[in-house]
């Protein structure tokens, strides 16, 4: 009864705030009234109907041999790729270069949300901030468009906001209803209030104590790296010359005869893979390099002041059982005032983000401090029945958010809430700031400014409703045809459909026969993820040049589980070597580079440091005795250490077979001093770390426990790497 009365009271309390939002809407909506309730594809001057994408080599030839482009875009992130797509569909001759891979920076390291920003709207209401309101309204408009043009890569996601104080219920309800109101006809689904019992039914791992109820609202979620790639590939299909691993060495300039000023007229580029340099001439150059905005601006003019103020955002990935399959969680007020999202993604759980000032770098590294901050906040919202373990962090990454100051603002120190488009004296057009969701409108504003500043002959923007790569003929049931026509596993087929859309059939055609009764085709790269070998071959058609490209951006394996990614690497490199004719030395270099990427940028270093040769052994005497007995069942000769030979001997005695390569990997995870053997002290350190929750999913611990039980005539436990782990009573 009390719950019902509070909800009714909310209608009265919230009336004034909702009216305020409605008033803001009427006063400030000066944009064109172009709600996209039904988004229809634009009809560009050149239809992207080419069956096959041009190869990277062909794209480089086009860049090198074209006399002059209308537009050269520097940067292959979401905004840069969006600028290239906007330009080429306006009928402009367009080029795009990216020094690394498409989406290799911030665009692949987001929270995976397509959202307007609930917290921005809160600030808009509390401070009557019109600019904040416009930002939210624009983002909600773009959210609707993105969900429409890439339905295979994006979908609405319900997000729960748990309420632990009665007075917060009307407060949050008003804010969320205002969010729905601002979205208007583009509201995904109406938000609603839940009782405590219903909230726990939908999110059973939620903290029960003092829970009053919850509010559920809807935002969008997407596969960010694949979405970025889809934008770049769509631009290429419409005729843009796009090349990754192509670095801008310097900007080209010429003197304008009328004004006498130097004007940017292109860039000197270098193919990073071959070292070859060449000039790309263009009437207009667009700087869309995110955190590296100022480095390009200083190529133009060394005297300009920096406008980018980089901030690091760390995310972690945990096993899927930490959250329901289709319900996210929002922590609106963390211990230090930040917002934390806790979301299901790719059958795992993603949590983040932090917001810490940082230096600009191509290789941001997640810190243990940030990882533990996120874990602490997660613990505050989950039931005490759920033990949140450091060892369950399967991957972690840091993305650099390019916050900017407006160079034309009187207060150059204040951070711009929106994106900034700047046209320099030399004609260099810079787009900076903004957010993932608004990449398309940012590109539109950038091209509008470029067309005006350089007097380019271009049509109007045509990207609203323009389907991205794979989206046009996708349907929710497309995966069924993949199962029926090719004999793929249902899980694999669903993954291919949701990753490649209507291009999934091209991937399926590359899948090789398994030799099994089922599935007929589609060999998995690792057993517990639906990625198949055919995707590696298809990735090369999507301009993948390295093993890192495959594990992080063509597939998302590195972002989901670093150990699984490392396990898949040898096979991935073998497939790429066959396609690219790599020699053994090149294969070794690729493997090492990918392992370094996983170790530093994907959180493997932070994960592995939970168990070191300096780790304390904090076990009870009875536990020490128990684990020593287990260890000595393998160390029959009382050497004080075990090797692969010892483990193999025990397994053979109990008729268990494990591949020798897998055994080597299993022991290597625990071999702290890397001497090819696991010593008693290392084993005790492992078991202590497991009990404290610092380490989970240890295959050696599970293997030895299973073998011991088998020798004692108990049922064996299967040995698999998973997001689970080893129970404390082991």
């Amino acid at each position: 009864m009390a719950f019902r009365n509070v909800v009714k009271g909310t209608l009265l309390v919230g009336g004034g705030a909702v009216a305020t939002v409605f008033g803001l809407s009427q006063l400030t909506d000066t944009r064109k009234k172009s709600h996209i309730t039904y988004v229809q594809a634009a009809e560009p001057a050149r239809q992207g109907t080419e069956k096959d994408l041009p190869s990277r080599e062909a794209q480089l030839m086009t860049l090198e041999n074209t006399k002059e482009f209308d537009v050269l875009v520097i940067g292959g992130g979401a905004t840069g790729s969006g600028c290239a797509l906007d330009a080429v569909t306006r009928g402009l001759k367009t080029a795009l270069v990216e020094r690394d891979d498409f989406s290799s920076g911030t665009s692949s390291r987001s929270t995976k949300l397509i959202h307007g920003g609930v917290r921005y709207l809160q600030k808009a209401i509390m401070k009557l901030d019109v600019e904040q309101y416009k930002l939210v309204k624009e983002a909600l408009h773009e959210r609707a468009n993105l969900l429409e043009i890439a339905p295979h890569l994006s979908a609405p996601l319900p997000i729960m906001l748990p309420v632990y104080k009665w007075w917060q219920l009307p407060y949050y309800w008003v804010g969320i209803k205002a969010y729905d109101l601002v979205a208007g006809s583009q509201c995904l689904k109406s938000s609603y209030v839940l009782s405590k019992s219903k909230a726990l039914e939908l999110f059973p791992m939620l903290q029960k104590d003092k829970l009053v109820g919850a509010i559920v609202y809807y935002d969008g979620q997407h596969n960010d790296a694949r979405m970025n790639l889809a934008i770049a590939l769509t631009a290429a299909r419409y005729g843009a010359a796009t090349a990754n691993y192509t670095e801008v060495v310097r900007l080209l300039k010429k003197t304008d005869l009328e004004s006498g000023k130097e004007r940017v007229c292109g860039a000197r580029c270098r193919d990073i893979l071959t070292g070859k340099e060449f000039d790309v001439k263009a009437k207009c150059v667009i700087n869309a390099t995110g955190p590296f905005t100022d480095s390009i601006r200083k190529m133009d003019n060394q005297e300009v002041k920096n406008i980018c103020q980089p901030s690091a955002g760390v995310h972690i990935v945990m096993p899927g059982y930490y959250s329901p399959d289709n319900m996210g969680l929002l922590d609106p007020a963390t211990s230090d005032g930040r917002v934390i999202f806790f979301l299901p993604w790719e059958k795992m759980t993603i949590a983040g983000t932090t917001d810490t000032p940082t230096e600009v770098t191509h290789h941001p590294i997640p810190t243990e401090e940030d990882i533990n901050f996120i874990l602490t906040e997660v613990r505050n919202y989950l039931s005490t029945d759920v033990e949140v373990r450091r060892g369950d962090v399967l991957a972690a990454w840091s993305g650099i958010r390019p916050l900017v100051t407006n160079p034309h603002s009187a207060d150059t120190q204040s951070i711009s809430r929106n994106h900034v488009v700047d046209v320099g004296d030399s004609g260099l057009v810079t787009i900076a700031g903004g957010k993932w969701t608004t990449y398309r409108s940012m590109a539109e504003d950038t091209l509008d400014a470029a067309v005006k500043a350089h007097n380019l002959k271009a049509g109007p923007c045509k990207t609203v409703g323009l389907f991205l790569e794979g989206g046009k003929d996708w349907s929710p049931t497309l995966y069924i045809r993949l199962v029926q026509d090719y004999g793929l596993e249902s899980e694999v087929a669903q993954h291919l459909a949701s990753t490649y859309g209507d291009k999934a059939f091209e991937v399926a055609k590359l899948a090789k026969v398994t030799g099994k009764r089922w599935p007929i085709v589609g060999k998995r790269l690792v057993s517990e993820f639906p990625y198949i070998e055919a995707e590696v071959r298809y990735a090369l058609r999507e301009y993948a040049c390295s093993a890192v490209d495959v594990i992080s951006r063509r597939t998302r394996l590195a972002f989901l589980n670093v150990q699984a990614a490392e396990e898949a690497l040898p096979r991935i490199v073998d497939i790429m070597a066959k396609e690219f004719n790599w020699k053994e030395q090149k294969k070794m270099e690729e493997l090492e580079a990918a392992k370094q990427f996983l170790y530093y940028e994907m959180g493997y270093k932070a994960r592995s440091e939970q168990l070191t040769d300096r780790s304390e052994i904090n076990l009870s005497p009875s536990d020490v005795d128990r684990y020593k007995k287990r260890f000595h069942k393998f160390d029959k000769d009382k050497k004080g250490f075990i090797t692969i030979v010892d483990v193999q001997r025990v397994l053979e005695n109990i008729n268990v077979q494990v591949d020798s390569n897998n055994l080597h990997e299993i022991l290597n995870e625990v071999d702290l001093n890397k001497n090819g053997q696991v010593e008693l002290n290392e084993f005790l350190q492992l078991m202590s770390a497991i009990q404290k929750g610092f380490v989970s999913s240890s295959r050696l611990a599970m293997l030895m426990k299973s073998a011991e039980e088998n020798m004692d005539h108990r049922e064996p436990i299967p040995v698999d790497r998973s997001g689970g782990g080893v129970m404390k009573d082991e």
Side-chain angles (χ1 to χ4, degrees), residues 184-456:
S185 60
Q186 296 162 351
C187 179
L188 301 179
K189 289 184 182 179
S190 183
S191 58
Y192 55 90
V193 179
L194 292 173
S195 65
K196 176 179 179 179
S197 60
K198 191 63 177 176
L200 291 173
E201 181 183 330
L202 293 175
F203 209 119
M205 53 285 291
L206 200 60
Q207 174 64 260
K208 304 177 183 66
D209 296 343
K210 298 182 180 180
L211 181 67
V212 173
I215 301 169
V216 175
Y217 73 98
Y218 286 80
D219 254 326
Q221 188 178 50
H222 69 152
N223 185 335
D224 53 2
R226 292 293 315 183
M227 185 73 80
N228 190 159
L229 184 63
I231 300 166
L233 295 179
T234 306
R237 285 198 186 277
Y238 277 96
T242 60
N244 54 354
Y245 294 100
T246 304
E247 180 182 26
V248 170
V249 178
R250 66 176 183 274
L251 297 176
L252 303 178
K253 291 188 176 183
K254 65 180 180 181
T255 303
D256 183 70
L257 296 179
E258 293 183 6
S259 64
K261 293 182 178 180
E262 281 196 329
R263 305 282 289 178
V264 173
C265 62
R268 180 72 173 178
C269 297
R270 177 169 58 229
D271 179 357
I272 289 178
L273 302 185
T274 64
K276 183 180 180 180
E277 293 191 8
F278 54 91
D279 290 339
V280 179
K281 300 287 185 66
K283 297 172 184 174
C284 170
V285 176
I286 295 175
N287 172 17
T289 52
F292 304 96
T293 293
D294 289 321
S295 63
I296 299 298
R297 292 176 72 241
K298 287 183 181 296
M299 278 188 188
D300 176 34
N301 180 2
Q302 284 288 338
E303 304 302 318
V304 296
K305 293 182 179 180
N306 289 350
I307 62 171
C308 185
Q309 298 190 18
S311 174
V314 171
H315 295 81
I316 64 174
V317 167
M318 306 178 77
Y321 56 70
Y322 273 98
S323 65
D325 290 340
N326 193 38
M327 179 70 74
L329 185 74
L330 167 64
D331 177 358
T334 63
S335 56
D336 67 349
R338 289 182 277 194
V339 172
I340 290 286
F341 285 99
F342 193 61
L343 310 167
W345 183 68
E346 299 286 320
K347 298 187 178 180
M348 294 294 180
T349 301
I350 182 173
T353 178
T354 60
D355 187 7
T356 310
T358 187
E359 297 296 319
V360 176
T361 172
H362 288 286
H363 307 289
I365 299 172
T367 66
E368 187 63 25
E369 180 182 359
D370 283 330
I371 292 171
N372 283 323
F373 166 78
I374 297 171
L375 287 173
T376 299
E377 296 303 324
V378 168
R379 289 187 186 102
N380 291 338
Y381 271 85
L382 294 190
S383 168
T384 53
D385 296 337
V386 180
E387 184 184 1
V388 180
R389 305 178 298 184
R390 174 61 182 83
D392 282 338
V393 177
L394 305 176
W397 67 85
S398 176
I400 301 178
R401 185 183 178 199
L403 305 175
V404 294
T405 56
N406 190 335
H408 301 299
S409 172
D411 180 10
T412 57
Q413 296 303 309
S414 65
I415 297 292
S416 175
R417 301 183 186 98
N418 211 326
H419 59 269
V420 173
V421 179
D422 175 54
V423 181
D425 293 337
S426 67
L428 176 68
V429 179
T430 295
I431 170 66
K435 53 193 294 187
W436 220 122
T437 306
T438 58
Y439 85 90
R440 193 213 60 82
S441 62
M442 291 167 64
E444 180 180 353
D445 291 348
T446 304
L447 264 296
D448 286 346
V451 168
K452 181 179 179 181
H454 293 272
N455 196 27
L456 301 175

Side-chain angles (χ1 to χ4, degrees), residues 629-641:
K629 288 178 182 177
R630 184 178 299 172
F631 184 85
H632 289 314
K633 287 188 177 182
F634 286 76
D635 180 23
K636 287 288 187 183
D637 301 326
K638 308 297 184 195
K639 306 182 298 297
F641 62 85

Side-chain angles (χ1 to χ4, degrees), residues 502-566:
D502 58 29
K503 303 297 181 186
F505 296 100
E506 295 182 19
V507 183
K509 290 175 184 175
L510 298 175
K512 294 190 175 180
V513 175
T514 63
K516 302 177 183 178
R517 182 184 61 81
W518 190 262
I520 299 172
V521 301
K523 294 182 180 179
R524 294 194 182 210
L525 289 168
V526 283
S527 60
E528 69 268 42
F529 289 94
Y531 302 112
I532 60 174
E533 293 181 356
E535 292 181 78
V536 181
R537 299 180 187 95
Y538 191 75
L540 309 189
R541 301 184 185 183
E542 296 180 321
Y543 305 125
C545 299
S546 71
V548 171
D549 296 345
V550 174
I551 62 174
S552 60
R553 293 174 288 273
R554 302 311 183 278
T555 72
R556 305 311 308 276
L557 199 49
F559 282 79
L560 295 171
N561 190 314
V562 287
Q563 282 186 287
E566 185 180 43

